[in-house]
Amino acid sequence: MAQFALPTGLLGRVAGLVMARRPSNQRRNAWTLQLLAIQPHERVLELGFGPGWAIARAAMLATRGKIVGVDPSEVMRTQALRRNRTAVHRGQVELRKGTVGDLAGAAPFHKAYAVNLFMFWPEPVSVLREVAALLVPGGVVALTVQPRQVNATDADTGVAAQRMAAALGAAGFRDIRTEVLALRPVGAACCLGTRP
Ligand SMILES: C[S@@+](CC[C@H](N)C(=O)[O-])C[C@H]1O[C@@H](n2cnc3c(N)ncnc32)[C@H](O)[C@@H]1O
């Protein structure tokens, strides 16, 4: 589990390969981007890009926009840079080592998302307040979680959804809604909120 929270070394590289190739990972990431309805001109932020699979998909959607990602894992940054080499080279994609706090002062984003990261934030409300400060008014954030612990059930997905919705509300987001995707071994929940 630690290697999915913050991949390092050889085991971290293996975790990255698993995340990039596992069909349920790909589906929950593609679904999150679909829910965000990313437009060609938009600036998009991904927190915790891991191996960069969703960054590549987002770059296919925001064709005239920009995708910025932050992740504190150097191992993940290396994999994501490799996966998005061409888009990074042309300046459409920027991948930074760090967390949302390292983006203070960045140009504002239209959309932001984090997939299977929420449960690793010790203080999700303060992270989400920082995300809100980086969004344009009317900008949307999507948080997706598919519980991965041993013996996880769809009830865990429901609990995660409640926690994400509560944190979004406490951070000042409005129009909060939850979507659920049936997946194996358990469903994924995505909570979306709009910056007023
Ligand atoms: C379980 S992986 C998910 C990766 C990818 N989003 C996916 O769905 O395949 C969690 C990722 O978040 C990164 N991470 C951990 N703490 C973070 C933080 N505070 N801010 C941004 N990313 C973080 C980890 O390094 C890791 O790459």
Side-chain angles (χ1 to χ4, degrees):
M1 210 55 181
Q3 285 304 334
F4 291 95
L6 189 60
T8 53
L10 180 60
L11 284 178
R13 278 165 37 205
V14 174
L17 293 177
V18 170
M19 287 191 272
R21 291 183 188 175
R22 197 154 50 185
S24 63
N25 278 39
Q26 295 183 356
R27 283 194 61 201
R28 70 178 191 232
N29 274 282
W31 174 67
T32 303
L33 296 177
Q34 187 188 327
L35 290 171
L36 277 172
I38 291 168
Q39 300 302 304
H41 67 282
E42 287 186 330
R43 285 178 54 83
V44 181
L45 168 63
E46 177 167 7
L47 309 170
F49 50 72
W53 191 90
I55 292 275
R57 294 286 289 233
M60 286 184 222
L61 298 168
T63 46
R64 288 181 278 113
K66 174 122 186 172
I67 322 297
V68 176
V70 281
D71 194 305
S73 164
E74 191 56 53
V75 173
M76 288 301 93
R77 185 165 176 273
T78 300
Q79 289 192 4
L81 282 172
R82 206 177 296 135
R83 182 161 279 109
N84 292 281
R85 195 181 291 123
T86 310
V88 169
H89 187 67
R90 66 170 174 261
Q92 186 199 4
V93 166
E94 191 181 323
L95 300 173
R96 299 194 195 176
K97 184 180 174 197
T99 66
V100 68
D102 296 303
L103 287 170
F109 297 91
H110 301 94
K111 306 279 167 64
Y113 64 98
V115 179
N116 268 27
L117 175 57
F118 178 85
M119 61 280 203
F120 299 129
W121 285 331
E123 292 183 37
V125 177
S126 37
V127 174
L128 290 171
R129 285 198 183 113
E130 291 184 272
V131 173
L134 288 167
L135 287 172
V136 298
V140 178
V141 64
L143 305 174
T144 295
V145 162
Q146 183 191 20
R148 281 294 186 188
Q149 69 270 26
V150 177
N151 298 329
T153 67
D154 284 333
D156 296 309
T157 306
V159 170
Q162 282 174 7
R163 289 188 181 145
M164 290 190 287
L168 284 170
F173 284 91
R174 298 283 181 268
D175 302 328
I176 296 161
R177 72 175 219 268
T178 299
E179 304 281 342
V180 174
L181 176 68
L183 275 182
R184 287 181 181 276
V186 297
C190 179
C191 289
L192 298 108
T194 302
R195 180 191 160 163

